[in-house]
Amino acid sequence: MSTYRDLALPRALGSARAVGAPIGSGRPTILRTVGTRERRSHLTAPRVPTVGIDIGGTKVMAGVVDADGNILEKVRTETPDKSKSPKVVEDTIVELVLDLSDRHDVHAVGIGAAGWVDADRNRVLFAPHLSWRNEPLRDRISGRLAVPVLVDNDANTAAWAEWRFGAGRGEDHLVMITLGTGIGGAILEDGQVKRGKFGVAGEFGHMQVVPGGHRCPCGNRGCWEQYSSGNALVREARELAAADSPVAYGIIEHVKGDIAEITGPMITELAREGDAMCIELLQDIGQWLGVGIANLAAALDPSCFVIGGGVSAADDLLIGPARDAFRRHLTGRGYRPEARIARAQLGPEAGMVGAADLARLVARRFRRANRRRVERYERYERYFESRRSEQESL
């Protein structure tokens, strides 16, 4: 099969126009995409390789993913500084796709962005770690690539990946919670990501669980992510260390007195080694996690909660207390079925894999449109050949 660099057809076709300038050293100009309407069922999506992009505050990761969720190749680079223009990040995305297309036949590109994406999955309304404000990311990227582009929130793409290939397989009502610096989330029902009227559903981290509690960067107080997230875990550890608490002596010694060096992965590592304070802190975070999950169960009644994100690496040190707290706070406990709580299986690649798989849903339209272009080109050839034959016979 040819790559999308081989798709340039004569100008007589009139179905695509060259746009954009070469990206990077010696990159060729490529064509505008043809249509990006989503195919609704993954069961009818073509089994073709697609590229998934996961954009975070510190890294941009891109990978070619096959129809079974296997990563064929992965590349990554640092996220350009957020003070730079949005085009700098867009240039990075295009460069990574072009790099992968040198070695793979790419049929569509999916982008998981850490921010609010509108219901049409075109504009990034707001990205806290990037300078995107109402940015038409899909149109800008698809205008520079000859394949369809799909944009979604990174928690949505991670949830899709876990539902298709990971801990949520076989579930028809799934809620994913991503525990990182804050808390993100996503809802899937009957094979559909529920994005809400305006596209920003799933911001579970900003549910208020403690009126008048810790101030949250969102501007409110007492948000769930202030009690059950990586930031909450590190904040509590640093406060105990700063107070020179006897229970914090182990971690103080570990960082040689430099409290600013305390991190979430370090706390998890020390907890696994038996540090009592770190174990207790993860239990506290887990208990708050269980309280929030019980609230979500009351509102959404899913069959499964999948817990992902960096903090979930603590595994049963975190999820065990969460399950206990969930059972204690679940409304109607003892008289209703309980949702399953599972740790995510796909790790930090989930968002990338999910973005690629969602992009596969729009690849069929591209393939059909490209086939129509080829057929139209062949008709032109037959027409001009017949005209030449007629002229030669005169």
Side-chain angles (χ1 to χ4, degrees):
M1 298 177 68
S2 63
T3 65
Y4 60 68
R5 300 207 186 169
D6 300 321
L7 296 178
L9 298 174
R11 292 179 183 273
L13 294 182
S15 61
R17 65 181 181 87
V19 296
I23 304 301
S25 176
R27 292 292 190 187
T29 299
I30 51 182
L31 299 179
R32 183 179 298 278
T33 185
V34 294
T36 54
R37 187 174 61 190
E38 178 181 342
R39 297 288 298 184
R40 289 297 179 185
S41 174
H42 68 280
L43 298 175
T44 62
R47 295 182 61 83
V48 295
T50 50
V51 168
I53 309 282
D54 184 20
I55 305 172
T58 59
K59 57 115 174 74
V60 181
M61 182 165 55
V64 179
V65 182
D66 69 15
D68 297 314
N70 300 308
I71 300 171
L72 306 180
E73 184 182 354
K74 180 177 67 174
V75 294
R76 61 180 291 167
T77 187
E78 292 183 357
T79 303
D81 187 83
K82 66 179 180 181
S83 65
K84 297 178 181 177
S85 71
K87 185 176 181 298
V88 176
V89 183
E90 292 161 10
D91 289 345
T92 301
I93 295 169
V94 171
E95 188 67 24
L96 291 176
V97 174
L98 290 176
D99 179 42
L100 291 168
S101 72
D102 285 338
R103 299 174 296 282
H104 301 274
D105 189 16
V106 175
H107 291 256
V109 175
I111 299 174
W116 290 358
V117 178
D118 70 0
D120 293 331
R121 280 171 294 164
N122 176 28
R123 294 179 176 272
V124 180
L125 302 176
F126 172 75
H129 304 296
L130 297 167
S131 56
W132 285 335
R133 303 293 183 268
N134 201 30
E135 185 70 16
L137 182 61
R138 185 190 68 197
D139 287 350
R140 291 192 186 280
I141 298 297
S142 65
R144 299 168 65 176
L145 300 176
V147 291
V149 175
L150 179 144
V151 179
D152 211 335
N153 171 266
D154 58 348
N156 288 342
T157 61
W160 180 268
E162 291 292 340
W163 176 69
R164 289 274 284 125
F165 310 112
R169 282 176 293 183
E171 301 287 351
D172 55 2
H173 289 76
L174 177 148
V175 170
M176 183 160 186
I177 298 164
T178 57
L179 301 178
T181 302
I183 296 179
I187 308 164
L188 275 86
E189 291 184 4
D190 299 321
Q192 298 274 330
V193 177
K194 299 299 181 181
R195 299 177 175 86
K197 174 65 176 178
F198 306 108
V200 296
E203 291 295 331
F204 305 138
H206 299 290
M207 300 186 302
Q208 188 183 59
V209 295
V210 180
H214 291 295
R215 176 72 73 179
C216 180
C218 77
N220 294 327
R221 288 186 178 274
C223 290
W224 186 25
E225 69 176 40
Q226 291 303 305
Y227 299 88
S228 185
S229 68
N231 271 356
L233 182 66
V234 172
R235 182 193 66 228
E236 295 296 312
R238 288 179 178 177
E239 286 181 359
L240 284 168
D244 202 26
S245 169
V247 300
Y249 285 170
I251 201 167
I252 292 172
E253 181 178 351
H254 189 80
V255 297
K256 297 180 173 57
D258 188 354
I259 295 172
E261 291 295 313
I262 297 174
T263 64
M266 178 189 299
I267 295 168
T268 299
E269 178 187 348
L270 292 174
R272 288 195 180 119
E273 294 173 0
D275 185 281
M277 184 198 77
C278 294
I279 292 173
E280 183 178 333
L281 289 178
L282 284 169
Q283 288 175 340
D284 290 344
I285 297 297
Q287 287 169 5
W288 277 112
L289 176 61
V291 170
I293 291 175
N295 289 341
L296 290 172
L300 302 173
D301 191 31
S303 58
C304 177
F305 289 94
V306 175
I307 312 301
V311 183
S312 70
D315 208 358
D316 278 345
L317 290 169
L318 173 83
I319 296 178
R323 290 191 180 109
D324 293 340
F326 170 68
R327 295 187 186 102
R328 289 198 307 272
H329 293 89
L330 180 63
T331 181
R333 52 193 173 276
Y335 297 96
R336 59 177 290 175
E338 291 184 7
R340 181 169 65 95
I341 300 175
R343 183 190 170 193
Q345 294 179 356
L346 301 183
E349 286 85 18
M352 180 185 74
V353 171
D357 198 61
L358 282 166
R360 194 168 287 106
L361 301 179
V362 301
R364 183 186 298 274
R365 181 172 174 82
F366 170 72
R367 286 157 61 86
R368 286 177 174 172
N370 187 51
R371 184 167 62 249
R372 287 195 294 271
R373 288 204 303 270
V374 172
E375 291 170 351
R376 189 158 61 248
Y377 174 70
E378 292 173 346
R379 288 197 299 272
Y380 273 113
E381 285 289 295
R382 289 195 296 270
Y383 171 75
F384 289 128
E385 182 64 30
S386 65
R387 289 292 303 274
R388 281 195 296 268
S389 298
E390 291 174 2
Q391 292 173 357
E392 289 173 356
S393 65
L394 293 177

